[in-house]
Amino acid sequence: MSLARGIDPANHRELVHTVKALAMDAVEAAKSGHPGMPMGAADLAVVLWTSFLDHDPSCPSWPNRDRFVLSAGHGSMLLYALLHLSGYDLPLAELRRFRQWGSKTPGHPEFGHTVGVEVTTGPLGTGFAAGVGMALAERLLAARFNRPGREIIDHHTYGIVSDGDLMEGVAAEAASLAGHLGLGKLIYLYDDNQISIDGATDITFTEDVLARFAAYGWHVARVDGHDPAAIAAALTAAKAETARPSLIACRTVIANGSPNKAGTSASHGAPLGAAEVAAAKAAMGWPAEPTFHVPEGVRARSAAAQQVQRQRREAWELRMAAYRDAHPELAAELGSLESGGADAAALAAIPTFAHGGKQATRKAVQTILNALVAAHPALVGGSADLAGSNGVVIAGEPANSPKNPGGRVIHFGVREHAMAAIANGLALHGVRPYVATFLVFSDFMRGAIRLAALMRLPVIYVLSHDSFWVGEDGPTHQPIEHTMALRLIPDLWVVRPGDARETAGAWRIALRRGVGAGPTAILATRQDLPVLAESREEIDVGAYVLWQPDGDAPLDGILIATGSELAATLAAARDLAGRGVRVRVVSMPCWEAFEAQTAAYRDEVLPPSLQRRLAVEAGSTLGWSRYAAHSQGIDHFGASAPGPELAERFGFTAEAIAQRYLALPA
Amino acid sequence: MSLARGIDPANHRELVHTVKALAMDAVEAAKSGHPGMPMGAADLAVVLWTSFLDHDPSCPSWPNRDRFVLSAGHGSMLLYALLHLSGYDLPLAELRRFRQWGSKTPGHPEFGHTVGVEVTTGPLGTGFAAGVGMALAERLLAARFNRPGREIIDHHTYGIVSDGDLMEGVAAEAASLAGHLGLGKLIYLYDDNQISIDGATDITFTEDVLARFAAYGWHVARVDGHDPAAIAAALTAAKAETARPSLIACRTVIANGSPNKAGTSASHGAPLGAAEVAAAKAAMGWPAEPTFHVPEGVRARSAAAQQVQRQRREAWELRMAAYRDAHPELAAELGSLESGGADAAALAAIPTFAHGGKQATRKAVQTILNALVAAHPALVGGSADLAGSNGVVIAGEPANSPKNPGGRVIHFGVREHAMAAIANGLALHGVRPYVATFLVFSDFMRGAIRLAALMRLPVIYVLSHDSFWVGEDGPTHQPIEHTMALRLIPDLWVVRPGDARETAGAWRIALRRGVGAGPTAILATRQDLPVLAESREEIDVGAYVLWQPDGDAPLDGILIATGSELAATLAAARDLAGRGVRVRVVSMPCWEAFEAQTAAYRDEVLPPSLQRRLAVEAGSTLGWSRYAAHSQGIDHFGASAPGPELAERFGFTAEAIAQRYLALPA
């Protein structure tokens, strides 16, 4: 993959200086930012980008490009400088507008915002885990689609990670799983600068990082992070290691090149200041003016490299064309994956559920998922050690492992945060991940869920055991605030289906939300629920009239319910009707979908004239005042007891709901 | 500490069988639960409890007792059996009511609910981290209060941890920090049964756990977990190791003693079934009936042990009395710590802030915290590598380390989840922790915050950079949904002060919430805010009338604001008054405190007759409909740009607020 294996020291130095100067200038112009990391990591980044990274700036979406993850996202100017200098569509004018409104150079790299940025990073550790997802996707797709002599998917995932990344638990979880899976084409450079924000890392981080990673099953190495030949040799060795992921600790000096601030935490998160920038430029023989200076030699060598990169990508296109001829069906399937969304065949594969009988919505999830696997080849996922409980066991599908690298079932282990962050990497690499755990443990994943929403990735979260109906496991396992807390995340859609039929609808919502829309959480019950005759299997409207008494007499009010409260609420409304109180029941499985409807539709479902309303949901009431003046919910922690007993005590029987409605103030 | 160092094999076996039979019987009676872990770990737990754990069941609150953490909380019946058999106030009748409403034996152990339970566990990994907090508190208090020859604080923290615990990132973070800090009196037994819910651990967890912990700086060992002598020897060696925490991997067989289900994941989370229980009892020579059988010999030996335990504790009481005589001031200070809450002196030490000028509320936090350190000796805490940014730098207070074990400043590193979980352990051990990070990273801590709330621990979270005003760092660092998401957690109080004066009030709220009330989050700004003449320093009422136009003419409506929006909202109201629109401004820094007020007070602040209301808060609008029909908030992700520009674009200038009010529907 090397473009220039023989590194010319002078050329290397000039490019490194260019990167450093651009970073200093941009941070000065913005009057904020992080100069230390780009300067300290410039040597290793330049070696990686000039001599290893196989990409084509003229075709950023080339599927077989190497992926690059800047997990230490605060060093964004390092990435922007490299993107600019490599020929991506990121002109100097954008670098001059670093961290300004509407620029392509925000404070932390944002996927979908800046061409060439592979993943949004900043929250430490999550980029590390996303890279694991990318490497897993690469191996998975290679196993499924490559044929002897036709290795159309064959690339590396590289990254630069920091002390902070390696302190975070999400990275630890992901590293353990990457080691277990033996992701040999994942190669991280650890910018080991021994400085974090509060000072030297030895105030809190004295573990033997390389020994830890060796224990995870990683190939590890240590090099001088300012010695380009050593860095290149370590990268070459890492590429030669195909059975284990690699961590190369590169001892660097933060803000290397700054005469007075190098090696200090002062250079981490603030501009160096005009005087120090001048001193640094002088020390490296760089012109003080103009700022944002790029030497002609750097431009010329970049242009030559881009030519080579384009040729390499075009050679791949030829191989891909031959692959298409040889394996048209595989090629079509691969193409369907790359388009991201689910097609009509996948949607059609979702089974229907006859009304009558009872089943837990997690069981419906399992039925749906098993039907989808064949029809939706992009679907890949698993659970954080709760597959059976969550309803995501796929019959006959062996788990992904080094021996079965094409397996579409992933045993994530009890590693919820990494699971969600790895899912982001999977989605970024074009597969369609679903990941599962108990709803209460969505707390552990929020950081990564938020990033999925920010990147608008089509990740599906299956979150079962979605209320006090968990029962005996008690308050640590009973979600109370979680449903509403998920609704708070922008661009995440939350669907809480009321029975098996609505569960089918939930999957339709999730699958229709393609790339660019965002993630979807499907909340499922542990306990059985009646499959209603009144419910719908198409719930894209978000909320609809489930039932109301016959006849034209005016209605008294509305009961709004979601999920496991739907059947009891329907029974309550029927009971009320028997007492002469005419109440409509609205099923509202998805707030976000409902709010996307026209005002006319919303007013039809929830007529403004009918303000006597009670919302019923086994969770926090906060937020329900948006739709109903009153709500039957739970604003305290749960308790350990059988679910039906809790339903009695917490007021979620049909009788309790009816009584509550009758007791509403006039 | 050993009560019976020479382990009698027959006595050991009888007690182990009793524990196993109680666990099987209780799970059968409940028709749910986890028999596998209690049976597999019975040998090691019995060795620990009979020969090492120094406690006094007749005085569960003895300050110098060894702490025991069952991090694998699903094995709760192991703990309940041990508590019962050791003489704690947990009669057999409670074991018979395992997992039933109102029993003292909920599905997972709950601190504050069952005497002898040191910490609520269940969410894996968090118990591990809480134990680190306990061990840290022990060492910290020992360093501060012990005097030569008067080691009144000198005990161990023991725990049993599972595969699942060790897969969780929160435990990894905590383990790294525990190794760094050299917490030599922390000793964990790893129930290495090679089984998790989805099957054998080798499907996802093949790392070298002991090598990993050695890399963290732990003392590690491996033993046969069914060999009591080997377990005892390993525990003795771990106690002899005083500079490093210890992890003893005990190879066990899950559901050991169950002829057909031992060693299988089927025994993890479901009753064995009557036939298998009968077979297990037969195999160990146990009577099938009666259930919940406790042999006389077990009772007798327990009674004898309790006698010894009481004597040991009483001997400590004598030493403590001598300590009180020798060091009356230290003893008084220690006593004040143990009472938990802040006293009048601490409250009085909170500085006042004159109005005028501007300062960030994080700066006010720093001023307050530095004033509190001397007056509130229980206060201990730190930041996840953002001390300077969060405003929690304590002048002149060196950090806690092996060389300075009494240091009250803790460098948690970039380990937010462990920080919050360790804070729980600190609080459980009687110190008053404050922990700090950016508000956006409260997502990483939610699991542990929820447990603090469930345990009603007086942890204080300092969460700075509390809105888009973060500015250039962009959407990954700008909280949107976090303020409201925290308000959703039951028993957590969230205070978002509007200036330095209200920040003082926020600390008063936090300090007054003593043990048994719950945690408090204080949200602070990065940016400067005017210190208002109209604001209050006592905000225990949660919300109050900040300002309204003079005169008796009727008001047109109400503007409700929190935090950084308070000053702009006040300016908007003054501007409106200038235009003849008379609007009241209500400052509402703490919803929970406001809701604890009388209806009369609440109606006085927010008169029901005044329904023209606009709530102004730089965060999610969801939930504000509780107080105001309209709200000026942000329901989308932020952007990278200077804060003032974002305020213009997002509508948070005084002018935008005034215009929004004027545009409200009539």
Side-chain angles (χ1 to χ4, degrees):
Chain A
M1 311 281 155
S2 166
L3 297 176
R5 277 201 190 278
I7 294 173
D8 179 278
N11 290 347
H12 173 83
R13 197 177 316 117
E14 189 174 42
L15 183 50
V16 165
H17 287 175
T18 308
V19 167
K20 289 180 181 179
L22 288 174
M24 285 190 285
D25 287 342
V27 172
E28 288 303 309
K31 301 186 190 66
S32 80
H34 301 76
M37 188 278 177
M39 297 176 74
D43 278 304
L44 48 103
V46 163
V47 171
L48 177 63
W49 278 60
T50 57
S51 298
F52 291 87
L53 197 70
D54 197 11
H55 62 142
D56 179 3
S58 74
C59 182
S61 64
W62 175 30
N64 196 43
R65 69 191 181 280
D66 285 339
R67 301 312 196 261
F68 175 75
V69 174
L70 185 71
S71 191
H74 56 275
S76 56
M77 260 315 298
L78 176 65
L79 180 54
Y80 299 144
L82 291 166
L83 290 172
H84 169 73
L85 296 170
S86 300
Y88 283 88
D89 181 17
L90 191 67
L92 269 188
E94 292 292 339
L95 273 61
R96 292 179 187 276
R97 299 186 56 241
F98 183 47
R99 298 180 145 235
Q100 303 309 303
W101 178 265
S103 81
K104 295 292 182 194
T105 49
H108 292 79
E110 295 179 27
F111 168 79
H113 185 84
T114 309
V115 168
V117 171
E118 299 280 8
V119 53
T120 298
T121 52
L124 290 168
T126 51
F128 181 113
V132 171
M134 293 176 185
L136 176 57
E138 190 270 349
R139 191 176 74 172
L140 199 155
L141 296 175
R144 282 171 66 186
F145 292 100
N146 286 353
R147 289 297 178 267
R150 301 200 189 279
E151 284 75 24
I152 48 158
I153 297 169
D154 179 14
H155 71 80
H156 284 78
T157 299
Y158 295 103
I160 297 180
V161 305
S162 64
D163 301 307
D165 287 304
L166 299 183
M167 282 190 252
E168 288 281 7
V170 61
E173 293 173 1
S176 176
L177 186 58
H180 168 78
L181 292 171
L183 299 176
K185 288 159 91 175
L186 177 67
I187 300 176
Y188 282 159
L189 296 165
Y190 164 27
D191 175 28
D192 183 12
N193 62 24
Q194 302 182 296
I195 291 292
S196 65
I197 296 178
D198 281 345
T201 52
D202 66 10
I203 63 174
T204 189
F205 190 52
T206 49
E207 62 172 65
D208 183 340
V209 173
L210 293 190
R212 169 157 70 100
F213 275 73
Y216 292 139
W218 286 52
H219 162 73
V220 298
R222 173 173 292 290
V223 298
D224 175 349
H226 299 301
D227 177 345
I231 298 163
L235 282 166
T236 301
K239 287 181 69 177
E241 166 62 64
T242 58
R244 295 181 293 170
S246 292
L247 184 74
I248 304 169
C250 307
R251 180 57 52 84
T252 60
V253 176
I254 192 169
N256 184 41
S258 166
N260 303 300
K261 295 195 173 177
T264 72
S265 59
S267 70
H268 170 87
L272 297 180
E276 184 65 11
V277 170
K281 286 185 176 176
M284 64 192 199
W286 210 249
E289 296 286 341
T291 56
F292 297 93
H293 170 61
V294 179
E296 277 311 308
V298 168
R299 291 265 182 243
R301 290 191 295 278
S302 172
Q306 288 173 54
Q307 189 98 353
V308 176
Q309 289 159 338
R310 189 177 301 111
Q311 287 163 359
R312 291 182 55 83
R313 195 260 304 165
E314 286 169 354
W316 179 89
E317 302 282 3
L318 290 175
R319 295 203 306 279
M320 186 67 210
Y323 177 89
R324 264 189 217 97
D325 290 344
H327 305 288
E329 289 181 8
L330 279 175
E333 187 171 310
L334 180 59
S336 82
L337 255 71
E338 283 162 8
S339 74
D343 60 12
L347 289 165
I350 295 176
T352 55
F353 293 88
H355 67 84
K358 299 182 94 175
Q359 69 173 296
T361 51
R362 63 176 171 146
K363 293 292 175 201
V365 164
Q366 184 140 309
T367 303
I368 293 162
L369 199 50
N370 277 271
L372 273 174
V373 164
H376 192 11
L379 213 56
V380 168
S383 166
D385 195 39
L386 292 168
S389 296
N390 300 141
V392 297
V393 172
I394 310 290
E397 181 71 28
N400 194 289
S401 73
K403 289 184 181 164
N404 182 36
R408 290 164 64 191
V409 167
I410 301 157
H411 289 307
F412 286 101
V414 190
R415 303 180 182 107
E416 296 84 4
H417 197 178
M419 174 172 73
I422 290 170
N424 292 349
L426 291 168
L428 287 162
H429 205 295
V431 300
R432 191 70 187 270
Y434 64 89
V435 293
T437 185
F438 290 156
L439 174 57
V440 79
F441 299 133
S442 64
D443 275 351
F444 285 38
M445 312 197 296
R446 273 182 86 85
I449 295 175
R450 185 172 208 260
L451 285 168
L454 185 54
M455 291 188 271
R456 295 178 171 267
L457 300 177
V459 180
I460 300 170
Y461 308 101
V462 174
L463 302 168
S464 74
H465 294 57
D466 76 341
S467 72
F468 70 80
W469 281 99
V470 165
E472 292 89 343
D473 274 344
T476 55
H477 285 57
Q478 291 169 3
I480 295 292
E481 69 276 24
H482 302 77
T483 302
M484 202 61 78
L486 290 172
R487 288 186 183 126
L488 283 167
I489 298 177
D491 300 319
L492 171 69
W493 282 27
V494 180
V495 196
R496 190 167 186 260
D499 68 359
R501 293 154 63 94
E502 287 194 356
T503 307
W507 278 89
R508 287 195 181 85
I509 288 177
L511 294 185
R512 284 173 179 146
R513 299 196 79 207
V515 174
T520 306
I522 299 175
L523 277 44
T525 65
R526 175 189 180 216
Q527 77 280 12
D528 285 342
L529 297 179
V531 184
L532 301 173
E534 297 81 1
S535 65
R536 297 189 186 171
E537 301 198 79
E538 283 283 357
I539 55 173
D540 285 9
V541 289
Y544 62 93
V545 179
L546 181 82
W547 179 87
Q548 63 187 30
D550 290 335
D552 293 334
L555 291 165
D556 182 73
I558 307 176
L559 285 165
I560 309 173
T562 79
S564 49
E565 286 59 72
L566 192 60
T569 302
L570 174 59
R574 288 200 158 111
D575 176 52
L576 289 168
R579 306 188 203 193
V581 180
R582 296 169 52 80
V583 174
R584 165 180 291 187
V585 179
V586 168
S587 176
M588 189 181 279
C590 183
W591 284 28
E592 298 83 5
F594 183 61
E595 284 166 24
Q597 305 306 308
T598 63
Y601 177 76
R602 285 182 275 132
D603 286 351
E604 190 186 314
V605 175
L606 297 175
S609 59
L610 272 179
Q611 287 299 328
R612 192 170 163 88
R613 299 178 187 175
L614 177 67
V616 187
E617 183 172 76
S620 301
T621 61
L622 190 154
W624 272 110
S625 49
R626 176 173 296 188
Y627 298 114
H630 307 281
S631 62
Q632 181 73 355
I634 310 180
D635 292 314
H636 54 79
F637 289 110
S640 173
E645 176 159 10
L646 294 175
E648 294 274 350
R649 294 186 180 271
F650 294 162
F652 287 91
T653 61
E655 176 60 22
I657 295 165
Q659 287 301 331
R660 176 74 199 277
Y661 182 86
L662 290 171
L664 294 182
Chain B
M1 313 282 152
S2 164
L3 297 176
R5 278 203 188 279
I7 294 173
D8 178 277
N11 290 347
H12 172 83
R13 198 177 315 119
E14 189 174 41
L15 183 51
V16 164
H17 287 176
T18 308
V19 167
K20 288 181 181 178
L22 288 175
M24 286 190 285
D25 287 342
V27 171
E28 288 303 308
K31 302 185 190 68
S32 80
H34 301 77
M37 188 279 178
M39 296 175 74
D43 278 303
L44 49 103
V46 164
V47 171
L48 177 63
W49 278 60
T50 58
S51 298
F52 291 86
L53 198 70
D54 197 11
H55 61 144
D56 178 4
S58 74
C59 181
S61 64
W62 176 29
N64 197 43
R65 70 192 182 277
D66 285 341
R67 302 312 197 261
F68 175 76
V69 175
L70 184 71
S71 191
H74 56 276
S76 56
M77 261 314 299
L78 175 65
L79 180 54
Y80 300 144
L82 291 166
L83 290 172
H84 169 73
L85 296 170
S86 301
Y88 283 88
D89 181 17
L90 191 68
L92 269 189
E94 292 293 339
L95 273 61
R96 292 180 187 276
R97 300 186 58 238
F98 184 46
R99 296 179 146 237
Q100 304 309 303
W101 177 267
S103 81
K104 294 294 181 192
T105 50
H108 292 80
E110 295 179 27
F111 168 78
H113 184 83
T114 309
V115 168
V117 170
E118 299 280 9
V119 53
T120 298
T121 52
L124 291 168
T126 51
F128 181 113
V132 172
M134 292 176 188
L136 176 56
E138 190 270 348
R139 191 176 74 173
L140 200 156
L141 295 176
R144 282 171 65 187
F145 292 99
N146 286 354
R147 289 297 177 270
R150 301 198 189 280
E151 284 77 22
I152 49 159
I153 297 168
D154 179 15
H155 71 81
H156 284 77
T157 299
Y158 295 103
I160 297 181
V161 304
S162 64
D163 301 307
D165 288 302
L166 299 183
M167 283 189 249
E168 287 284 7
V170 62
E173 294 174 0
S176 175
L177 186 58
H180 167 78
L181 291 172
L183 299 175
K185 289 160 90 178
L186 177 67
I187 301 176
Y188 282 160
L189 296 164
Y190 164 29
D191 176 27
D192 183 12
N193 62 24
Q194 302 182 297
I195 291 294
S196 65
I197 296 179
D198 281 346
T201 52
D202 66 8
I203 63 174
T204 189
F205 190 52
T206 50
E207 62 172 60
D208 184 340
V209 173
L210 292 190
R212 169 156 70 99
F213 274 74
Y216 291 139
W218 286 51
H219 162 74
V220 298
R222 174 174 292 289
V223 298
D224 175 349
H226 299 301
D227 178 346
I231 297 163
L235 282 166
T236 300
K239 287 180 67 177
E241 166 61 62
T242 59
R244 294 181 294 169
S246 293
L247 184 74
I248 304 168
C250 307
R251 181 56 53 83
T252 60
V253 176
I254 192 171
N256 184 42
S258 165
N260 303 300
K261 295 195 173 175
T264 72
S265 58
S267 71
H268 171 87
L272 297 178
E276 183 66 9
V277 169
K281 286 185 177 178
M284 65 193 198
W286 211 249
E289 295 287 340
T291 56
F292 296 93
H293 171 60
V294 179
E296 277 311 307
V298 168
R299 291 266 182 242
R301 290 190 296 278
S302 172
Q306 289 172 52
Q307 188 98 351
V308 177
Q309 288 159 339
R310 188 176 303 112
Q311 287 163 359
R312 290 181 57 83
R313 195 257 306 163
E314 286 168 354
W316 179 89
E317 302 282 4
L318 290 176
R319 295 202 307 278
M320 187 64 209
Y323 177 89
R324 264 188 216 100
D325 290 344
H327 305 288
E329 288 180 10
L330 280 175
E333 187 171 311
L334 180 58
S336 83
L337 256 71
E338 283 161 8
S339 74
D343 59 13
L347 289 165
I350 295 176
T352 57
F353 293 87
H355 67 84
K358 299 180 96 176
Q359 67 172 297
T361 51
R362 63 177 170 144
K363 292 293 177 202
V365 165
Q366 184 140 311
T367 303
I368 293 162
L369 199 49
N370 278 272
L372 274 174
V373 165
H376 192 9
L379 213 55
V380 168
S383 166
D385 195 38
L386 293 167
S389 296
N390 300 142
V392 298
V393 172
I394 311 289
E397 180 72 29
N400 194 290
S401 73
K403 287 184 183 163
N404 181 36
R408 290 164 64 190
V409 167
I410 300 158
H411 289 307
F412 286 100
V414 190
R415 304 181 181 106
E416 295 84 3
H417 198 177
M419 174 172 73
I422 289 170
N424 293 349
L426 291 168
L428 286 162
H429 206 296
V431 301
R432 192 68 189 271
Y434 64 90
V435 294
T437 185
F438 290 157
L439 174 57
V440 79
F441 299 134
S442 62
D443 274 352
F444 284 38
M445 312 198 297
R446 272 181 87 85
I449 295 175
R450 184 174 210 259
L451 285 168
L454 184 52
M455 290 188 272
R456 295 179 170 268
L457 300 177
V459 180
I460 300 170
Y461 308 101
V462 174
L463 302 168
S464 74
H465 294 57
D466 77 342
S467 72
F468 70 80
W469 281 99
V470 166
E472 292 89 343
D473 273 343
T476 55
H477 284 57
Q478 291 169 3
I480 296 292
E481 69 275 25
H482 303 77
T483 301
M484 201 61 79
L486 289 173
R487 288 186 184 124
L488 283 167
I489 298 177
D491 300 320
L492 170 70
W493 282 27
V494 180
V495 195
R496 190 166 186 259
D499 67 359
R501 293 155 64 92
E502 286 194 358
T503 307
W507 278 88
R508 286 196 182 86
I509 288 177
L511 293 185
R512 284 175 180 145
R513 299 195 80 209
V515 175
T520 306
I522 298 175
L523 279 45
T525 65
R526 175 189 181 216
Q527 77 280 14
D528 285 341
L529 297 179
V531 184
L532 300 174
E534 297 80 3
S535 65
R536 297 188 187 171
E537 301 197 77
E538 281 284 357
I539 55 173
D540 285 9
V541 289
Y544 63 92
V545 179
L546 181 83
W547 179 88
Q548 63 186 32
D550 288 334
D552 292 334
L555 292 166
D556 183 73
I558 308 176
L559 285 164
I560 308 173
T562 80
S564 49
E565 285 59 72
L566 192 60
T569 303
L570 175 59
R574 288 202 158 110
D575 176 54
L576 289 167
R579 305 189 204 191
V581 180
R582 295 169 53 79
V583 174
R584 165 180 291 185
V585 178
V586 168
S587 175
M588 190 182 278
C590 182
W591 285 28
E592 298 82 5
F594 183 60
E595 284 167 23
Q597 304 307 308
T598 63
Y601 178 76
R602 285 182 275 132
D603 287 351
E604 190 186 315
V605 175
L606 298 176
S609 59
L610 272 179
Q611 286 300 329
R612 191 171 165 87
R613 300 179 186 173
L614 177 66
V616 187
E617 182 172 77
S620 302
T621 61
L622 190 153
W624 271 110
S625 49
R626 174 172 297 187
Y627 298 114
H630 307 280
S631 63
Q632 180 73 355
I634 310 181
D635 292 313
H636 54 79
F637 290 110
S640 173
E645 175 158 14
L646 294 175
E648 295 273 350
R649 293 186 181 271
F650 293 161
F652 288 91
T653 61
E655 177 60 22
I657 295 164
Q659 288 302 330
R660 177 74 200 278
Y661 182 86
L662 290 170
L664 294 183

